[in-house]
Amino acid sequence: MTLRPTLPVVRTTLCLLGLLLMGACYAVQPRPAAVEHADRTSVGSGGRQVQQGGDLVMGLSAEPDVLDPTTSSSLYTRYVMSSICEKLYDLDAKTELVPQLASALPTLSDGGLTVTIPLRQGIEFADGTKFDAAAVKTTLQRDLTKKDSARASEMGPVQSIDTPDDHTVVLHYKTPFAPITAALADRAGMIMSPAALKKYGDDFGNHPTCVGPFRFVKRVPQTEIVVRRDPRYYDAKDVHLDTITYRIMTDANIRAANLRSGQVQVIDTVSAQDVDALRREPGIGLLQVGSLGYQGVTFNVGNTRGLGKPPGKIDTPEARDARVRRAFELSVDRTALVNSVFNNWAEPACSGVAPDTEYATTASNHCPAYDPKRARQLLRAAGVRTPLKLTMTLTNTPDTLRLGQALQAMVKKGGFDLRLQAVEYSTLLDQQDRGDFDLLQLGWSGRIDPHGNLYTFLATEQGNNVAGYSNKEVDALLAQAAQQTDPVQRGATYGQAVTAVQQDDPIVYLYRQRNLTAYSTDVTGISAYADGVVRLGTAAFVKGAH
C-alpha cells in the first residue's frame, strides 16, 4: 500500500488561537514536489547472526487501556497483545488474511450461514491449559455476550457455536456475515485461556493469559508493561528475546531522543516533524506503511448515557442540526492540513473505507470540497450566530496539539470559534465512552474489511458508536453490505452508506497517517503492517550489537 501524492499548496499562515501552547502563530510551509513513500514493513537480518536473549525496550506513544481482548479499544493495547495473545487469523505484509491459531482459512456453506474454522493442534496457553475448540468457543461466546464487550458487533449475528471435535469450531449465522475472517484477525480472534477466564473473570485484563511468543509479567501504570518469553509457545525456536518492555513515552521528541541514546530500540508513531532527520541518522532505520484507518473529528450527536445505549437528545446547534456539522467539514482544507502539519507524511481522508482496498469506490473516496463561504451560508440557514463556539477534546501530545491548533485557525474562516481541551489519552478514552464531550479528535488504526471501520462506529447502539449516531438508512446499508459476499457489490453498498453518512457528518474524516516506526539497526525481526500494529514476536538483537 502506498500513499497517493497530493499537489503542493501555497504558503498559508495559521494563527493559533488556542491557549494551550505558547507562540500564537506559525507559518505553513509549502510542500515540495509530491513524493511517493515506498512501503517498508519488516526488518530482515541481512545475513547477520542474531543473539539469543536480551531485553528489548519499545517506546510506546500512549498507555494501552485494559489488556482484555473483549473490552479494549486502544491501538496501543494491540501492540502488547500481539506479543502475548495470538489470533485465529492475522494480516501479512501484503495485507492478506492468513491463518495463525487456525490451521486454514474458514470454509463457508449453507449460503454463508455456516462458517467452519479448523484449528492448529498441539498448542498450549501460557498457563499450560490445552488450546482446543472448547477454549475457542469459550472466548467467542464471551466476546458475544459480555455486557461491556466491544467485539459483539465485529462478530456479526452469530446464532450458535458448535465444536464437533477438538480441532474444529463451527459458527452458525442468522444471516450471512462476510467480514468474519477479518474480524477474527483482530481482537475478536484473540483466544484467551478458559482457565484464566474462570479464575479472574472481569479482572482478566490484569492477568492476560493467551497463546503467544511471550507471556505477561507485570504492568506499572503510566510507566511500562513487561512480557517474558513463553517456553510453552509452539514456535518457541523462533523467539529470541528474553523480555520486551513497553515503556510509555507520550512525547515524540523524548521517544526519538531515547532511540538515539540507545535507551530504547523501537519507537512507534514517529513525528512527521522529526522523521526526515531521524531516518538519515546512522544506526537508525525506518519502517513505513500506509494506514487502513483514519483520523477525524467526532461530534457528540446523541451519546448521553454511554456506549451501547439508545441515543438521547443533546440541545446544542452542532448536535441538533447536520448543517452545522456540514459547515464544519466545509471549513477544513484537508490538503493544506496534511501539508502544513504532517510534512507530506499523511493524505486526506473522507470516509472509513481505505482507498487502496478492493472495496473502495468513487463514492467512498469522495471528498467534499473546502468551501468556507458555503460553510457560513449553512450556519446562517441553521439560525446560528457566528462565530459558533465549539470545544474539541484531544490528546495532549505535541503533534495532536499542532493538528488541533491548525484546525482551530482553519475553521475560523467558516464561522467557528474552536476551543481546545487537551487531556491524557486514557482520559480521552473514558470521556468518549461516557459521552463527556462536544467534539472529539481521535482516530482508528483501521481494519482490512470496511465493516470494522464503519459498522461499530456508525450503526445504532454499537460498541464504538461514541457519537451516539443513529440513521436507519445507514444501519440498513451497513447490515446489507455485511451479508454480501462479492467485493464489488459490497463496495458499492459501502459507497452508498458513505454518501448517506456525509449528509449527517457525525464523524468528519480528516486524514490517513502513514504508520512510521523507527528502530535501532542493532535489532532485526520487527514488522509493522497497514493495520497499525508493530509486531515484535520474532525480534532479536544481532550479534555484536552494543
Side-chain angles (χ1 to χ4, degrees):
M1 177 183 296
T2 55
L3 294 179
R4 297 180 177 86
T6 51
L7 296 177
V9 294
V10 297
R11 182 183 180 93
T12 304
T13 298
L14 297 183
C15 290
L16 306 180
L17 305 175
L19 301 177
L20 296 170
L21 292 181
M22 299 299 293
C25 296
Y26 70 89
V28 177
Q29 298 298 325
R31 184 197 294 187
V35 175
E36 287 263 358
H37 296 294
D39 290 349
R40 186 170 183 239
T41 57
S42 61
V43 183
S45 65
R48 299 175 297 173
Q49 291 185 314
V50 301
Q51 298 180 18
Q52 296 302 315
D55 176 30
L56 183 145
V57 182
M58 178 176 182
L60 207 58
S61 58
E63 183 172 30
D65 62 356
V66 62
L67 300 179
D68 185 329
T70 302
T71 60
S72 67
S73 60
S74 165
L75 164 64
Y76 311 99
T77 302
R78 294 167 74 215
Y79 289 172
V80 178
M81 299 304 255
S82 70
S83 296
I84 63 174
C85 278
E86 288 194 341
K87 304 162 290 188
L88 291 173
Y89 299 98
D90 198 8
L91 292 185
D92 64 11
K94 298 179 180 178
T95 324
E96 295 180 354
L97 293 165
V98 294
Q100 193 170 59
L101 293 177
S103 60
L105 294 175
T107 57
L108 276 62
S109 55
D110 300 331
L113 295 176
T114 301
V115 179
T116 302
I117 302 170
L119 304 176
R120 300 182 66 156
Q121 301 180 51
I123 295 176
E124 292 182 346
F125 291 95
D127 60 2
T129 304
K130 181 182 178 182
F131 171 84
D132 59 12
V136 173
K137 180 178 179 179
T138 297
T139 286
L140 298 185
Q141 286 184 323
R142 183 178 192 257
D143 288 344
L144 288 166
T145 61
K146 197 174 190 306
K147 185 177 181 180
D148 56 347
S149 173
R151 309 282 83 85
S153 62
E154 298 173 4
M155 293 285 294
V158 176
Q159 190 169 42
S160 63
I161 303 175
D162 289 339
T163 54
D165 54 52
D166 280 355
H167 50 84
T168 307
V169 175
V170 181
L171 307 180
H172 299 282
Y173 276 91
K174 299 173 185 177
T175 56
F177 187 66
I180 184 57
T181 309
L184 296 176
D186 206 83
R187 275 175 283 219
M190 293 179 182
I191 308 304
M192 296 166 273
S193 164
L197 287 173
K198 184 177 181 180
K199 181 177 181 179
Y200 299 114
D202 288 347
D203 197 37
F204 178 88
N206 289 318
H207 311 273
T209 310
C210 306
V211 176
F214 294 83
R215 59 180 177 81
F216 175 77
V217 175
K218 68 175 182 178
R219 178 174 193 166
V220 181
Q222 303 294 332
T223 303
E224 66 182 22
I225 296 171
V226 180
V227 300
R228 183 175 298 279
R229 177 165 45 182
D230 183 7
R232 299 180 187 274
Y233 182 57
Y234 60 90
D235 271 344
K237 67 182 187 307
D238 295 329
V239 183
H240 307 288
L241 298 169
D242 291 325
T243 61
I244 300 172
T245 300
Y246 295 91
R247 192 158 292 156
I248 315 306
M249 298 178 173
T250 57
D251 189 300
N253 292 326
I254 292 175
R255 289 197 304 279
N258 274 263
L259 179 64
R260 290 184 177 103
S261 69
Q263 298 300 305
V264 305
Q265 289 76 48
V266 183
I267 61 173
D268 78 310
T269 319
V270 177
S271 171
Q273 306 298 313
D274 302 330
V275 62
D276 289 313
L278 193 64
R279 65 178 179 155
R280 289 193 294 266
E281 294 194 19
I284 293 177
L286 182 73
L287 299 181
Q288 55 166 305
V289 65
S291 175
L292 295 169
Y294 59 84
Q295 293 286 325
V297 173
T298 297
F299 286 82
N300 189 351
V301 298
N303 184 356
T304 57
R305 286 174 281 180
L307 288 178
K309 301 294 194 309
K313 289 186 178 180
I314 298 176
D315 192 22
T316 61
E318 68 273 15
R320 287 194 311 262
D321 198 325
R323 289 174 295 184
V324 176
R325 302 189 294 274
R326 181 72 166 178
F328 185 91
E329 177 170 33
L330 295 177
S331 301
V332 178
D333 184 340
R334 290 175 173 87
T335 301
L337 189 71
V338 299
N339 281 325
S340 63
V341 179
F342 300 107
N343 296 338
N344 194 37
W345 289 97
E347 66 173 354
C350 297
S351 82
V353 181
D356 292 313
T357 64
E358 61 184 340
Y359 306 103
T361 62
T362 300
S364 68
N365 288 339
H366 171 68
C367 259
Y370 169 59
D371 192 346
K373 181 179 179 181
R374 175 60 179 156
R376 286 184 173 272
Q377 291 173 348
L378 286 172
L379 291 178
R380 284 195 295 270
V384 172
R385 293 182 61 182
T386 57
L388 176 62
K389 293 181 180 180
L390 299 175
T391 299
M392 183 173 74
T393 305
L394 72 171
T395 58
N396 59 357
T397 62
D399 279 359
T400 305
L401 290 172
R402 190 178 296 111
L403 168 67
Q405 294 188 324
L407 282 171
Q408 191 178 50
M410 193 171 282
V411 301
K412 183 179 180 181
K413 285 185 91 173
F416 295 93
D417 178 5
L418 184 64
R419 312 292 177 88
L420 306 182
Q421 181 182 68
V423 299
E424 295 287 343
Y425 177 71
S426 58
T427 302
L428 185 77
L429 295 180
D430 289 339
Q431 287 187 224
Q432 71 160 5
D433 291 354
R434 296 196 310 269
D436 182 18
F437 68 94
D438 298 322
L439 279 74
L440 182 87
Q441 196 291 303
L442 199 60
W444 179 241
S445 53
R447 305 295 183 265
I448 186 61
D449 192 292
H451 183 85
N453 298 336
L454 297 173
Y455 186 81
T456 185
F457 296 96
L458 297 167
T460 303
E461 297 180 35
Q462 293 308 309
N464 285 309
N465 188 344
V466 300
Y469 175 63
S470 181
N471 181 315
K472 291 182 179 179
E473 179 189 3
V474 172
D475 290 349
L477 286 167
L478 294 178
Q480 178 185 343
Q483 297 179 37
Q484 296 169 330
T485 56
D486 176 44
V488 174
Q489 190 179 38
R490 290 187 71 205
T493 305
Y494 282 124
Q496 294 176 45
V498 167
T499 299
V501 169
Q502 287 180 344
Q503 300 305 308
D504 291 336
D505 276 339
I507 302 174
V508 174
Y509 300 89
L510 297 176
Y511 66 95
R512 285 186 173 82
Q513 65 188 29
R514 195 152 181 82
N515 295 321
L516 303 173
T517 304
Y519 62 91
S520 164
T521 54
D522 288 341
V523 178
T524 185
I526 308 162
S527 298
Y529 300 157
D531 61 358
V533 177
V534 179
R535 293 159 167 83
L536 300 177
T538 60
F541 289 97
V542 299
K543 284 192 174 180
H546 301 297

